[in-house]
Amino acid sequence: MFVGSAGIFILVTILLAMSFRAKRSNSSETTLERAWIIGLGICFTMTVLAILLAYGIIAGNRLTASHSEDAVKVSARADRSGWTFSYDARPGHATRDILHIPAGQNVTVSITTGDVIHSFWVPRLAGKLDAIPGHVNTLKLRANEPGTYAGRSAEYSGPGYLGNRFEVRSHGADTWQAFLQGELD
Amino acid sequence: MNALKLHRKLDAIWSSEPGWRGWFSTVNHSDLGRMFLGTAFFYFAIGGILAMLIRAQLATPHSAFAGEEVYAQLFTMHGTIMMFLFAIPAIEGLAVYMIPKLLGTRDLAYPRLTAYGYWCYVFGGAMLLFSLAAGIAPNGGWFMYPPLTGPIHSPGINTDFWLIGITFVEISAICAAVELTVSILKFRAPGMSLDKMPIFAWYILVTSLMILTGFPPLILGSILLELERAFGLPFFQADLGGDSLLWQHLFWLFGHPEVYIIFLPAAGIISTVLPVMARTTLLGYGWVVAAAVALAFLSFGLWVHHMFTTGIPHMGVAFFSAASTLVAVPTAVQVFAWIGTMWKGRPELHLPMLHILGFFITFVIGGLTGVMVAIVPFDWQVHDTAFVTAHLHYVLFGGFVFPLLAGLYYWLPLFTGRQRFFKLGEIAFALVFIGFHGTFLAMHWVGLLGQRRRIYTYDADAGWTTINFLSSLSSFILAIGLALVLIDILMHMFATVRGKRNPWGAGTLEWAAMSPPPSYNFASLPVVRTRDPFRTDTDLAERIAKGEGYLAKPNGNLRETLTVDVASGKPDYVVRYSANTRLPITLSAVTGLFFLSLLLKIYWFTPVAVIAIAIVTWRWVWSSGSRNDSGLVSVAANTKLALAETVEASPGWWGSTFLLVANATFFGSLIFGYAFLWTIAPGWPPPQWLEPWAPELLAGTGSAIAASAFIRMAMRQNRNGQSPQSGCLLAFAATIMTAVSLCSLMLRIPDPTGHAYGATLLFISGYGLFHTLLSALMLAFLSARISAGFVSPQRKAAPAIVRLWTDYGAATATVCLVISHLPAWLT
Ligand code: HEM
Ligand SMILES: [Cu+2]
């Protein structure tokens, strides 16, 4: 994407620079219109956009939650001082500012909020999704390796916004079982 | 009559009061345009200082300079001031100043309205400035998302300053938009058909229509949020049937077009200046006009792209993603038309051209990052990071500030009649260009590294320190550059030598007036036969000054101009303006009292202020028109035209039509909000629907239809030479009946503070009641005018205007009554 952008940018710059050259073409107004406006303005732009869009829709499909049966279901509830996470597979248990997930499995996070609008964002795992009062949004995540991933709220929420962060811990099969059994908080 | 004598006579008629007193009573568009521009640049300086404070805070990690609360006020006010108090008014100011000169006429359609709009801007802006100085400025970010800005999470007065102050300022935008639309459609030089109009006028026309349809959703949102804050009507509270997403829709329904409202006039400047700098004409005039119109239409379909992370269904996202990228097409058409123009001509590197090149480089980068942001997966990654802030500045600074500076330097010789002497402008440009790119390239970069926007500090070990420091350093270079521009312009105004007329060799009419332009612009109105009449016809200026055009003979003390047929530009009728008056400033001061009473919660005073507004407006409207029929007015050797008061499509009628377009958009947004809450918001259906009551519904709708019929009867009576008084009074009575039905409805609404349903219904019926009472007031006014002898079969302008408003009031009242009764029947 960056290469493409740079290419278009350089094209425009060269066209601008060349317009200062001394010699004038003596083509008629309509030929010029055809070349510049229909050729470059419409056809060229449309082609570039079509490529971009196709890419966007394909990539977007991969990212949104589809209701796959085997996904691990967790919930995230935001408030102005942090996040509370709960787990379908371990009813009654909640963790504060730490989300536990199994590595190598699909996870769907149901996101909502207890006060103002926040946004759930773990940059290394998925794009962000807002937590909106009265609505529940679902996000699909997958961490292939066990490890710790930084997450944060990405929608301004007033005082305390800077410190509104959380952490995602993805576990190997053993520790995940231990977590579900209650041997790990 | 020779040119000098003509000048003296016309100037005596048209000039403002001398000295500073003149500022308060002037209705002259050149004066007001300059005042608008001056005030807008004052706010640019304030907004710029706030930006410097922001960058100073972010220059180092853990800066102790501003705390969290102060920082929130800084970025909110920076964004708010730049968007609402700088960008839009600067455009209005430039358009108010330039449009009549470009169109070859003497003033805008409603000189007093120009002044009213200006003072609303000044007073509304002053409210926000006061809050900033007192440290109680808005602090929820420039798009003010509830529930953060709602009564529970922001109980302070900060948010009220925003909601009330900005709504007040918005009045000026709406006034200017109505005024510019009608001026461009009707107030042009004889012979200037639509296809001969200067390209800048086309852009301003499109922009004005966008303001009329883009601003009402925001005004609606602000009123709803203020009602929630002040009276607990829960429009945005999820637990009471409201939805904070409604605000986001209303805000971006405005906010996205807003970007184009700022960009299009800037594009208009480029389309005007660039061909002159390249010593040729614009390539593809028709294509460029079509592109501007297409951009306007497309931009209204795009608001949702600001809400991609709110969990909109995927198909919706795909649709809006496609539409968002589609705007690149009309934008590219314009960009390539401009580059093609440069290829066609011989570009010369004068100062305005430098700024245009600055625009090209910056805007193309901004456009490309914009397309990237519009691609959904990418947006999920950078949304709400410094990347987005940086992109936004590439578009706004690149797409607006550079063209604006190009325009200022281009028209400066016209403003002042002087020529630039010191070459400070080139150095200033270099600093601005380098400083700008340094600042915001660095912000793109930290954004990609994950720095969120709106954070007041960051950790030293995040790895962002050097980049932020570079960004802040560059921003100070940028600030120095902008300060030099200011010094350059001031020096130009006070310390340089007289220049020659039309230094750039342009072809448009503004250069054919004297510079600096006289109060009346043109001693006589030129007849226009080509798109740039001054290019080929070089002694046009002398002929205008000698009075060889239309309306060359001053008529007593009257300020006269003429209108033309919209499409063909054939002369239509003669308009007489009112002279200098303090009514506009008085009316906006009284309007200010109304807003102040809301801000300070002195609610008993609110009705007093409303009555005062009605009284001043009554006087305002009363003071024009005449009690006697008069014949045709001679405008040229053998052309005679009728007076405005003798036609049904008078300027007042045109203005009312476009004001009602804005009003209907407001009403439409309201209905959209109702439907949105009903279908999307959690907590619906409400515990209880309104009980349908047929007599109320029938009496209300029946009397509304009757009012429309009676006002038509009055017009028919007038046409047939009878007194229209009986029709007018019957219409008045019918309107009162409608008002009674609406009051009855309002009293029966289920608890408006308990559920958003009741709140919405109360607001909808309140809107209907307001318009019904407005119709009643207008009918009363018309009746008084009939009694006083202002209406005759020949002088028929007033009834036509009142008919428009009566119809609108009747239509909205009917819709209100029907949709209030509907849900209970449907369920
Ligand atoms: C004069 C040079 C300018 C500088 C150095 C500058 C700098 C900044 C910075 C650093 C921010 C980010 C604050 C944050 O997220 O923490 C910001 C926000 C913003 N700026 Fe500027 N800016 C400038 C000019 C403008 C102009 C000309 C406009 C509009 C016409 C503008 C509109 C905005 C808006 C709308 C925001 C978002 C405010 C918010 O997040 O609520 N800025 N600016
Ligand atoms: Cu947008």
Side-chain angles (χ1 to χ4, degrees), chain B residues 252 255-257 259-260 302-303 305-306:
Chain B
W252 291 116
H256 186 81
V259 174
Y260 293 88
L302 294 190
W303 80 98
H305 78 179
H306 295 270

Side-chain angles (χ1 to χ4, degrees), chain B residues 243-284:
Chain B
D243 195 338
S244 56
L245 281 180
L246 174 59
W247 170 272
Q248 296 198 20
H249 280 290
L250 291 176
F251 187 89
W252 291 116
L253 222 54
F254 146 82
H256 186 81
E258 157 92 348
V259 174
Y260 293 88
I261 289 171
I262 291 175
F263 168 65
L264 281 173
I269 295 176
I270 294 172
S271 300
T272 308
V273 177
L274 186 100
V276 178
M277 293 293 125
R279 322 211 62 75
T280 180
T281 52
L282 181 66
L283 178 72

Side-chain angles (χ1 to χ4, degrees), chain B residues 51 54 71 75 78-79 82 141-142 389 393 396 440 453-454 478:
Chain B
I54 293 175
Y71 190 77
F75 70 72
H78 165 71
M82 286 297 193
W142 87 282
T389 325
H393 285 84
L396 290 174
F440 293 103
R453 65 192 282 196
R454 298 176 170 174
L478 167 59

